[in-house]
């Protein structure tokens, strides 16, 4: 695992490859994208607001005939908006499913990357621990050899002194 290099940060292949902004959009970008995808929904909402404002004005004037007409227009505008919402939902459902699948794959990839980084850190700590134990063992062996070397030197000197003292 040591020579694999950095993880690939490129997104997974998808049918949305020609539109990279699809995956990295903020709220305002999403609103504008949805307006471009389904322009009839804001139009229907605008018609509904226009009908309500007209009904309010005609009610203040006391014109019951126009008030009823505006309320019918409001009903038609709301029906139009709901119909467009349902049709748009059916049309764009595949894209939402693909986006959810992409987000799920991205979360899984992030989870795997996090796990790989964690395992790599554990391996590095294990290597550091082994290196530290090896250094400690070498140091301990070195102290033992040095102590043995001193004992041997003392024994040799003692033998030399005995030989000199008692004569050979």
């Amino acid at each position: 695992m040591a020579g694999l290099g950095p993880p690939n940060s490129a997104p997974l292949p998808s049918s949305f490859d020609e539109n990279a902004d699809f995956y990295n959009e903020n709220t305002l970008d999403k609103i504008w994208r949805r307006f471009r995808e389904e322009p009839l929904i804001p139009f229907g909402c605008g018609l509904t607001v226009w009908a309500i404002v007209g009904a309010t004005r005609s009610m203040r004037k006391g014109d019951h005939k126009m008030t009823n007409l505006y309320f019918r227009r409001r009903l038609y505008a709301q029906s139009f908006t709901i119909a467009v919402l349902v049709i748009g939902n059916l049309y764009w459902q595949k894209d939402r499913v693909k986006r959810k699948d992409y987000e799920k794959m991205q979360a899984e990839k992030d989870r795997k990357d996090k796990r790989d980084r964690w395992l790599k850190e554990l391996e590095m700590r294990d290597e550091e621990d082994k290196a530290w134990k090896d250094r400690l063992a070498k140091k301990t062996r070195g102290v033992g050899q040095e102590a043995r070397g001193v004992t041997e030197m003392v024994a040799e000197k003692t033998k030399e002194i005995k030989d000199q003292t008692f004569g050979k």
Side-chain angles (χ1 to χ4, degrees):
M1 278 197 168
L4 293 178
N8 186 1
S9 62
L12 297 172
S14 170
S15 61
F16 297 108
D17 283 343
E18 68 276 356
N19 188 6
D21 293 336
F22 181 80
Y23 298 112
N24 303 319
E25 63 185 357
N26 60 25
T27 305
L28 187 60
D29 291 339
K30 183 176 181 178
I31 291 171
W32 285 117
R33 177 178 59 84
R34 295 301 300 260
F35 278 165
R36 286 189 306 266
E37 288 174 355
E38 301 180 66
L40 295 177
I41 292 174
F43 178 70
C45 292
L47 286 177
T48 303
V49 169
W50 170 77
I52 291 173
V53 169
T56 305
R57 286 183 179 169
S58 64
M59 278 181 8
R60 287 189 180 174
K61 289 180 183 178
D63 188 359
H64 298 292
K65 184 177 179 181
M66 286 304 290
T67 302
N68 285 333
L69 180 67
Y70 276 115
F71 278 134
R72 278 189 228 114
R73 289 178 181 169
R74 177 197 56 87
L75 181 67
Y76 298 144
Q78 284 180 326
S79 300
F80 170 77
T81 305
I82 290 172
V84 170
L85 277 169
V86 169
I87 292 168
N89 186 29
L90 294 173
Y91 182 78
W92 294 105
Q93 187 171 4
K94 289 183 223 169
D95 289 341
R96 281 192 285 279
V97 168
K98 288 179 184 178
R99 182 160 184 94
K100 285 182 183 178
D101 290 344
Y102 171 78
E103 288 172 354
K104 194 182 297 182
M105 288 188 307
Q106 191 67 29
E108 180 69 20
K109 182 181 174 231
D110 291 345
R111 187 188 65 76
K112 285 182 180 179
D113 287 346
K114 183 178 178 181
R115 184 177 184 273
D116 289 343
R117 286 192 309 269
W118 180 68
L119 289 174
K120 188 175 181 179
E121 182 179 344
L122 286 177
E123 288 173 356
M124 288 172 46
R125 287 184 182 197
D126 190 42
E127 289 175 15
E128 288 175 358
D129 193 37
K130 286 179 183 177
W132 179 78
K133 286 179 181 178
D134 288 344
R135 285 193 307 267
L136 186 61
K138 284 180 183 177
K139 192 174 185 181
T140 305
R141 269 187 262 128
V143 169
Q145 289 174 353
E146 288 175 10
R148 222 177 300 129
V150 170
T151 305
E152 290 172 2
M153 284 178 25
V154 169
E156 287 176 12
K157 289 289 184 183
T158 307
K159 186 177 179 183
E160 284 178 20
I161 293 173
K162 282 182 185 178
D163 288 345
Q164 288 175 359
T165 309
F166 297 115
K168 215 177 179 186

